[in-house]
Amino acid sequence: MSMKLFLSLLVATGLLTSCDLTVDPTDKYDQETFWLGEKTARAGLTGCYAAMTDQYLFGNASVLWEESATPNAYNYDNRLGWNSIALGTQTADMAIFNGRWVAAYRGIGRCNELLDNIDRNTILSRTEIAQMKAEARFLRALFYQILVTYYKDVPLITTEAQLDQRDLPRTPHEEVVDFIIRELDEIAPLLPTRYTNRADAGRPTRGAVLGLKARLLLFEASPLINTSTSTDRWRSAANAAKAVMDLGIYSLHSNYRNLFLVAAENGSESIFDVQYIDEPNMGSSFDITLRQFNNAAPLKNLIDSYWMLDGKPRDESVYSGSAAYENMDPRFKLTVVYPGSTFMGEVVRPDGNNSKFKTPQTGFTFKKYSIYDAGAPATVEEAQIGENRSEINYMVLRYADILLMYAEAKNELGELTSDIWNTTVREVRRRAGFSAASALDYPGNDPDILREHIRYERRIEFAGEGHYYNDIRRWKIAETVLPETIKKHDGTNIITRTFDANRDYWWPVSSTQLELNPNLRPNNPGWGN
């Protein structure tokens, strides 16, 4: 049975509700027999996976809303507080700050419960139990990676929930990172490079473990953390990314637009996906967000940042005189819906008020991770996909990310040669649809020029995927790129954003958590006590 169908079955039967094995502040869940049964034990593991679909992690349209805390997009209705983050008006009691913390620890709690109890099961084989434990350890590492990326220091809890854990202080960032790396190093050889049964799609592989390690190490090597500019950290990040490449099992999907459709799910570029299906509360909300809510609307800043077909910014390009939206990086029209284009069978109106969709906030919307494109929906149901019903998987890790991680780390080491460029950046651009030598060829060995190219690639290749916020944080450029007056497609001003460099690079521990556990103090700099 596939991971998708198994998760759906558990929801339908009610078993998944029994997988929330976190501890109430005053009591402990009675689980004496839960882990002894075959179905319930497997449901416990599925509960660990299901934690990823929380709207504060990868569920609903979370990754889209995260784009709106960057120069890429605008969240007009302040969903979960993302617009406040962009404006620099966030407070420590905001929903996203508390919600992401709680959601990640809920996932960690489920994983810890499984790891501390699954060995008592005598029905499952020892081989299956070992596999389940490796999967749970990977998921726990993923949840901790999320926590240290946003909150820096967080309590490190590795056993099933106990009452005294509610009073734990925050563990230093470096200790949690070291724990994650040790875990990933230990479980990498325990997981297969591939699953022979397609029903196992969605389970972590060795590549997923190594890819998560590479992402964490790249964050640790970057200026936000690596204030001493240590080359050792960049070396570790480069080695981790190269380890994924050396597996020899991943490749870029041939068509950039199709990569984000159901047909390409769990394919050659996918390393680790959140598995979604078209069932009530079993999907994401990408389609309705992009079609109706438009609360992750691309900004003119993003559109103006796209280079031209010759691989140069518009003002340096031979295409500088091209009409708006023409002769641009091929990924533009495969990512963004714009005035005058066709979407869902209609020409996009400049005022954003079409009959089948709405783009009034900026005049733009994304099409990535949506079934909607130029063609008209075939049925009424297809035209009105509701919340948490979008079936396209979200790729937490994909191979293009690994290639650009490797290129970035090697450049920071002064080792980005033409050979490495040709197997990383060039391949990403070639897949995107570039053909001009000026776009594909190695631009020389100046690290500053190469850095400009790599950062451009990360912004454009992953536009709409929720990565850019952490990129501008780790590069320590948020204070430069975020403060601006954001604009609609026609240059009309929307609102002015700000960024406090002394406070906003790290999220606060929420007011709610500080009230529950005063030992989490002191808060991150700029957030008071």
Side-chain angles (χ1 to χ4, degrees), residues 83-330:
N83 191 42
S84 293
I85 294 176
L87 292 174
T89 60
Q90 64 269 48
T91 59
D93 59 359
M94 234 164 46
I96 184 61
F97 295 150
N98 188 62
R100 184 156 291 182
W101 177 285
V102 170
Y105 274 111
R106 181 180 296 116
I108 290 166
R110 293 179 182 183
C111 294
N112 285 340
E113 294 285 355
L114 181 147
L115 292 167
D116 282 358
N117 290 282
I118 192 65
D119 284 325
R120 296 193 292 117
N121 188 292
T122 58
I123 299 174
L124 300 171
S125 70
R126 293 299 96 184
T127 298
E128 184 170 6
I129 288 174
Q131 170 75 21
M132 293 171 70
K133 290 169 71 174
E135 292 177 39
R137 291 172 73 184
F138 169 82
L139 293 168
R140 182 175 65 179
L142 172 62
F143 296 132
Y144 269 120
Q145 180 268 332
I146 293 169
L147 287 169
V148 297
T149 296
Y150 293 90
Y151 303 96
K152 196 174 185 180
D153 302 341
V154 299
L156 179 59
I157 302 171
T158 60
T159 59
E160 62 179 308
Q162 304 291 335
L163 289 178
D164 59 359
Q165 291 174 357
R166 66 182 179 180
D167 298 322
L168 288 175
R170 297 161 72 192
T171 306
H173 179 88
E174 296 78 8
E175 291 183 27
V176 184
V177 169
D178 287 346
F179 167 78
I180 299 170
I181 297 302
R182 287 197 306 272
E183 283 288 282
L184 295 175
D185 285 343
E186 288 179 14
I187 64 177
L190 304 179
L191 290 169
T193 55
R194 297 179 190 270
Y195 291 98
T196 56
N197 189 340
R198 287 186 61 85
D200 289 319
R203 301 185 190 277
T205 59
R206 190 172 306 164
V209 174
L210 297 173
L212 182 61
K213 179 181 176 181
R215 173 170 292 170
L216 176 60
L217 287 172
L218 194 77
F219 188 88
E220 296 299 303
S222 300
L224 179 63
I225 298 291
N226 187 17
T227 56
S228 67
T229 65
S230 166
T231 58
D232 290 344
R233 294 192 175 191
W234 287 112
R235 179 75 60 198
S236 297
N239 291 343
K242 188 62 162 57
V244 181
M245 298 165 65
D246 287 345
L247 291 174
I249 61 174
Y250 300 108
S251 61
L252 298 178
H253 187 75
S254 59
N255 185 292
Y256 183 76
R257 174 67 183 109
N258 291 348
L259 173 63
F260 305 99
L261 297 174
V262 172
E265 285 182 348
N266 304 311
S268 65
E269 187 163 344
S270 171
I271 298 176
F272 185 69
D273 290 9
V274 178
Q275 306 287 313
Y276 286 124
I277 59 174
D278 178 14
E279 294 289 343
N281 298 314
M282 295 301 299
S284 76
S285 294
F286 269 79
D287 291 303
I288 191 171
T289 296
L290 301 179
R291 181 194 79 240
Q292 178 176 318
F293 299 150
N294 199 219
N295 59 0
L299 289 165
K300 191 173 187 295
N301 183 304
L302 172 62
I303 280 63
D304 290 346
S305 74
Y306 277 86
W307 291 358
M308 308 303 284
L309 283 175
D310 55 0
K312 297 179 180 180
R314 182 181 285 270
D315 59 0
E316 301 173 15
S317 171
V318 297
Y319 298 104
S320 60
S322 296
Y325 315 126
E326 296 302 321
N327 295 313
M328 296 168 65
D329 181 324

Side-chain angles (χ1 to χ4, degrees), residues 378-424:
T379 65
V380 172
E381 291 76 15
E382 186 177 283
Q384 298 178 356
I385 297 173
E387 285 202 78
N388 300 313
R389 290 293 297 261
S390 297
E391 63 179 316
I392 301 171
N393 290 352
Y394 173 70
M395 289 178 282
V396 177
L397 289 161
R398 64 181 177 96
Y399 192 52
D401 196 1
I402 299 298
L403 296 180
L404 294 179
M405 288 184 200
Y406 185 58
E408 179 179 345
K410 295 297 279 187
N411 184 55
E412 298 304 325
L413 291 166
E415 299 173 0
L416 181 49
T417 64
S418 59
D419 286 344
I420 294 174
W421 170 276
N422 288 340
T423 58
T424 56

Side-chain angles (χ1 to χ4, degrees), residues 345-357:
E346 297 181 14
V347 176
V348 181
R349 293 167 52 104
D351 63 6
N353 290 310
N354 285 77
S355 63
K356 294 180 181 176
F357 58 90

